[in-house]
Amino acid sequence: MTEYRRYAVYDPGPAALADFGAEWLGWDPRRGCETRALGGALAATPRRYGFHATIKAPFRLALGRSPAALVAGFERLCAGLAPVAAEPGLQLRRIAGVLALLFKPQPAAVTALAAEVVRGLDGFRAPLSPEERARRRPELLTAGQRALLDRWGYPWVMEEFRYHMTLTGALSAAEEAEARQRLQPLLAGLLPQPHPITALALMGEDAEGRFHLLHQAELRGGGSHGP
């Protein structure tokens, strides 16, 4: 099995939305190929990651852990997690200077699902190097966020987790107006109510920094959690 620089867990979204996201950003991680890049320069920054919501942020594999073992552990984890029907559904909103699809408010079931994935796969994560920690700018984080960074390798987890599917890079006011004008008709009919999270995707980052789908697993735990 191919080894990658880093691994991550994504929610790829429903098929029709994922198809749109691949065409908008210009990279389809499921097929490992470039697409039309409808978003052009507006979408250049998130392009290499592919369209997704991050559930577990990119991490290096721990010493002694193999990609095959990670896939097996990921499959076992997903088999015990219940799918989520998140209400209200996703909306196009601004977050941290970019446009993304997110919940307002975020359902507790979504936060809980992400927390279970972070905890369940943490044994596969290599500790942060000093350089990796420094890149997270800990001096700009709250004390609570720094504690999360040091415990889980990422500050935006657990109570700090915010589900979002990024569609652009940082935008000026004029660029945001242009992006909204272009995105709103394209998204019409693609945002189901409620938003289903029924499967998760294990991703790998190649030497060029692009992410590829390694394995997709259905959430097969008992029941389906709403908000």
Side-chain angles (χ1 to χ4, degrees):
M1 179 176 289
T2 302
E3 288 207 32
Y4 287 88
R5 295 197 313 183
R6 294 189 300 170
Y7 298 85
V9 176
Y10 287 177
D11 172 22
L17 183 58
D19 289 343
F20 161 74
E23 292 293 305
W24 172 260
L25 291 185
W27 174 251
D28 188 339
R30 300 164 300 177
R31 294 180 292 162
C33 66
E34 295 181 351
T35 66
R36 291 188 292 169
L38 297 175
L42 295 170
T45 301
R47 182 166 296 137
R48 71 186 180 92
Y49 291 95
F51 181 72
H52 71 285
T54 298
I55 302 298
K56 183 172 178 61
F59 60 95
R60 290 180 297 105
L61 204 56
L63 187 65
R65 294 287 198 166
S66 69
L70 175 60
V71 169
F74 173 70
E75 179 67 39
R76 286 194 301 271
L77 176 66
C78 290
L81 296 175
V84 172
E87 296 183 274
L90 295 172
Q91 304 171 32
L92 181 63
R93 289 180 172 268
R94 186 180 181 95
I95 179 173
V98 310
L99 282 181
L101 300 174
L102 61 151
F103 299 109
K104 191 69 174 180
Q106 179 167 293
V110 174
T111 308
L113 174 66
E116 287 297 321
V117 174
V118 168
R119 281 192 289 263
L121 295 179
D122 194 59
F124 291 95
R125 178 182 62 85
L128 289 177
S129 69
E131 294 77 16
E132 287 170 331
R133 188 178 187 277
R135 281 199 293 272
R136 294 297 178 193
R137 303 294 301 275
E139 70 277 8
L140 301 181
L141 301 175
T142 66
Q145 290 162 352
R146 284 194 297 274
L148 292 171
L149 173 65
D150 292 333
R151 173 61 184 87
W152 302 107
Y154 194 63
W156 314 112
V157 295
M158 307 306 174
E159 67 273 12
E160 295 286 343
F161 173 73
R162 296 296 178 268
Y163 179 108
H164 59 283
M165 301 182 117
T166 303
L167 290 164
T168 73
L171 302 175
S172 67
E175 289 169 333
E176 180 179 346
E178 176 192 349
R180 285 182 180 276
Q181 186 176 35
R182 294 174 59 186
L183 280 165
Q184 284 168 342
L186 294 173
L187 289 168
L190 293 179
L191 303 179
Q193 304 284 341
H195 175 75
I197 305 177
T198 60
L200 296 177
L202 180 65
M203 311 299 295
E205 182 188 25
D206 67 22
E208 296 178 350
R210 288 189 164 180
F211 280 77
H212 300 256
L213 174 64
L214 303 184
H215 185 71
Q216 186 158 314
E218 299 294 320
L219 304 183
R220 302 194 303 273
S224 177
H225 297 314

